[in-house]
Amino acid sequence: MAYYFRRRVLPFRLVTRLVMFLQPQKFALRKSNPVLFQSLLLRSYTNSLPNGPSEKLTSAVVLDKYLSKVEKALKTFFFVNSIGFMIFISGDLLYAWYLDSCNESLLNETMEKGTRPDVGIKEDELVPRPVVIERLKKILLPRKDQSFYYVVCGEHGTGKTVLTRIASREVGEDKKRGIQGGRGVIYVDIPPNDPNVKDFDEEFGEAFGKALNFKFEENISFSAQLMKKYLVTPADSKPKWKRALKAFKRASAVYKKTNPCHQPPVIVYDNISHIDPGILDYLQDDAKKSADGRNYITVFVCSEGSVPRRMESRSAWSRAKAVIEIGDLSEEESMKYLTEKRKINEVDTKKIYELVGGRIIDLKDVADDFLAKKPFEDTKGQILAKVKQKFESAKLLRNQTHHEAGKGVIDALLKSKEINTDVFREFFKDAEEYSEVLKANVFAYHPSRDTGIVSLDQQGSLSYY
């Protein structure tokens, strides 16, 4: 009999308990065997329930007491966790607000003081060009109602970067009154677009952020990180240079509002020839829009060549002021640099100038070789070799595609030194050949004079034609 009870009754009781626990209260009471369920409860809770006559031990009473305890525990659990979650979110948002306030304060302070970039050249090697620097300072100190942007161009090695940095540091300076220069001028030095670098946009963004002291911490809070991951498209999914530009716009509005003359700030993009055409178009459109709104003034600094021609061909060029061109040193400036700065006698100074002209980078290199006692003929051979490489890249050498066209251009330049762009185009079959030759930098494009083209190295031209 006992064996039968264990085999038949006990399994059934265990199954009934499990079913009763998993099912809702009303459903379980209605569907199960009341007698058997009552007996189970009596056996399970006899030791824990009072035995007073006033309390009737029924299955409903026992189950209600048990579920009420569970309900209270669950309420307490959810209440405590809700309070903890609210405290965490509040603290997280407060921390994010604090960091954001610090970053915005640093950004506005940088805008107020200006970037003040290092010149990056020793005083004894610096060629003073006060006329050019004063002209640059004028465009870096705009009027309140100014509605155009600027393009500064010049061939590689003419000193554009050094002169722009000097002007960016000194503009608005008044030493007698103790006023520091560079206020409201943000100078962005665009890094070279190295083909080995996978993400140039990232490098440009980092350089932009560095100029602004911008930390790229728009979504620093943990809750914001969760939202951007699961709910919304985050701001930092955009390229860093766009995020830095957005930060600059915020600081620009504050600067223009708080400075006494309400002058717009200035942003200088140096070496824009390094960036991709798509980014260049975006920045040019933004420059036009900001000029229209009198929000801030943009200054593009680039080498002569394809970049200014591209900018001229777009509708955004309507807001560009006349191009400022930085050219080579004059003969007088070149001779003064070689004799006073480099301490070279006048006879050798003339030989150096006749070889390389007034390009400061070439003057410096040849002067270094001369002072290092390198034979002058060896230096001359190296210079001509560089010229040959440029001619070869432009396909202007004998038996190359553009030899005859190039020969005609050089003949025309030897007669007049400069020719109009329309005359230059006539020597080539189509716009593709015209652009290919200009891209090689054998000839210089001068948008400021609208005359177009001059030879980069006349001696090199004569050597090969």
Side-chain angles (χ1 to χ4, degrees):
M1 187 70 176
Y3 173 79
Y4 177 80
F5 180 79
R6 288 195 301 271
R7 292 289 302 272
R8 299 295 183 183
V9 177
L10 288 179
F12 179 76
R13 289 173 59 189
L14 293 174
V15 171
T16 304
R17 261 188 210 184
L18 181 61
V19 171
M20 290 300 300
F21 179 75
L22 296 176
Q23 289 181 341
Q25 179 182 352
K26 293 181 179 180
F27 180 79
L29 291 175
R30 185 171 65 249
K31 296 296 183 181
S32 60
N33 188 324
V35 178
L36 179 60
F37 184 68
Q38 180 177 356
S39 65
L40 291 173
L41 290 174
L42 287 173
R43 293 194 58 171
S44 301
Y45 296 99
T46 299
N47 295 331
S48 59
L49 297 177
N51 297 322
S54 62
E55 182 175 358
K56 187 176 182 180
L57 297 177
T58 64
S59 60
V61 172
V62 174
L63 188 60
D64 283 342
K65 287 181 174 292
Y66 176 75
L67 292 178
S68 64
K69 291 180 179 179
V70 173
E71 183 180 5
K72 289 180 180 179
L74 289 175
K75 286 182 178 180
T76 302
F77 173 80
F78 284 116
F79 177 76
V80 171
N81 280 273
S82 297
I83 295 297
F85 181 74
M86 291 175 63
I87 293 174
F88 168 75
I89 292 296
S90 300
D92 186 45
L93 293 177
L94 183 62
Y95 172 70
W97 172 83
Y98 171 75
L99 286 182
D100 185 63
S101 298
C102 291
N103 290 336
E104 286 296 309
S105 177
L106 180 61
L107 180 65
N108 293 332
E109 183 181 352
T110 301
M111 178 66 73
E112 174 67 24
K113 293 182 177 180
T115 305
R116 294 181 55 80
D118 293 332
V119 176
I121 189 172
K122 298 178 181 178
E123 182 65 27
D124 60 345
E125 295 181 357
L126 180 63
V127 180
R129 304 183 71 177
V131 175
V132 177
I133 291 176
E134 287 303 316
R135 190 177 181 189
L136 291 174
K137 286 181 181 179
K138 288 182 179 179
I139 71 174
L140 297 177
L141 196 63
R143 303 187 310 273
K144 179 176 66 174
D145 59 346
Q146 186 164 312
S147 59
F148 42 80
Y149 63 92
Y150 295 92
V151 176
V152 178
C153 69
E155 285 305 307
H156 173 68
T158 55
K160 300 182 303 297
T161 293
V162 171
L163 296 173
T164 302
R165 289 181 178 182
I166 293 174
S168 298
R169 289 181 63 88
E170 296 181 357
V171 61
E173 184 178 67
D174 191 338
K175 293 182 179 180
K176 293 182 179 179
R177 298 171 58 189
I179 299 176
Q180 190 179 59
R183 294 178 67 254
V185 179
I186 300 299
Y187 173 88
V188 183
D189 188 8
I190 301 173
N193 196 346
D194 191 339
N196 296 323
V197 176
K198 294 183 179 180
D199 193 353
F200 172 76
D201 290 8
E202 183 79 5
E203 285 205 354
F204 173 39
E206 290 288 346
F208 202 158
K210 182 179 179 181
L212 288 168
N213 276 324
F214 181 58
K215 303 300 182 182
F216 297 103
E217 293 177 343
E218 304 96 319
N219 293 309
I220 192 64
S221 70
F222 178 75
S223 53
Q225 295 290 335
L226 290 177
M227 291 180 65
K228 79 175 185 179
K229 185 175 182 180
Y230 297 108
L231 300 177
V232 296
T233 302
D236 57 6
S237 64
K238 297 179 180 179
K240 280 190 173 182
W241 64 268
K242 283 189 176 182
R243 293 161 61 191
L245 180 59
K246 185 177 180 181
F248 170 78
K249 291 179 179 180
R250 294 198 305 270
S252 296
V254 174
Y255 177 82
K256 186 176 180 181
K257 183 178 180 180
T258 56
N259 79 81
C261 298
H262 300 292
Q263 292 172 316
V266 179
I267 184 165
V268 180
Y269 297 112
D270 195 5
N271 296 311
I272 62 164
S273 303
H274 294 166
I275 65 177
D276 297 328
I279 300 178
L280 173 62
D281 293 346
Y282 187 100
L283 295 179
Q284 186 183 9
D285 290 339
D286 179 75
K288 178 184 180 301
K289 185 177 179 181
S290 65
D292 288 338
R294 279 71 168 173
N295 300 320
Y296 54 89
I297 303 303
T298 307
V299 179
F300 297 100
V301 183
C302 62
S303 296
E304 295 170 345
S306 59
V307 169
R309 293 200 311 277
R310 180 184 182 90
M311 297 180 74
E312 285 179 333
S313 66
R314 306 184 70 248
S315 60
W317 187 254
S318 61
R319 282 297 181 185
K321 197 67 172 174
V323 177
I324 298 174
E325 184 177 352
I326 299 178
D328 294 339
L329 299 176
S330 65
E331 182 175 357
E332 181 182 355
E333 290 173 325
S334 301
M335 301 287 282
K336 188 174 182 179
Y337 165 73
L338 293 172
T339 55
E340 295 184 4
K341 295 282 187 178
R342 307 311 301 273
K343 309 301 181 183
I344 300 175
N345 63 70
E346 292 187 10
V347 176
D348 292 322
T349 293
K350 290 181 179 179
K351 289 170 58 178
I352 294 173
Y353 179 76
E354 289 174 358
L355 176 63
V356 297
R359 187 67 48 83
I360 183 60
I361 190 172
D362 294 332
L363 287 171
K364 180 182 181 302
D365 289 343
V366 175
D368 289 341
D369 290 343
F370 179 84
L371 295 175
K373 306 299 183 181
K374 186 174 182 178
F376 186 76
E377 290 301 319
D378 292 349
T379 300
K380 183 177 180 180
Q382 289 180 349
I383 295 294
L384 294 180
K386 291 180 181 179
V387 175
K388 182 179 179 181
Q389 289 178 353
K390 290 184 178 181
F391 272 71
E392 186 174 9
S393 65
K395 301 179 182 179
L396 294 174
L397 296 179
R398 290 180 178 85
N399 300 321
Q400 286 190 306
T401 307
H402 305 141
H403 173 73
E404 290 300 325
K407 187 176 180 180
V409 171
I410 291 174
D411 288 340
L413 289 172
L414 290 177
K415 294 177 182 178
S416 61
K417 294 186 178 181
E418 292 183 359
I419 57 175
N420 188 275
T421 51
D422 294 332
V423 176
F424 181 82
R425 288 189 181 93
E426 293 176 0
F427 289 97
F428 300 93
K429 295 179 181 178
D430 50 39
E432 185 176 352
E433 284 190 358
Y434 161 79
S435 298
E436 185 180 6
V437 172
L438 280 183
K439 190 176 181 180
N441 292 327
V442 174
F443 305 101
Y445 174 61
H446 301 281
S448 63
R449 298 198 299 268
D450 195 30
T451 53
I453 313 300
V454 295
S455 174
L456 280 178
D457 192 319
Q458 197 173 78
Q459 288 207 3
S461 303
L462 292 172
S463 300
Y464 296 107
Y465 287 94

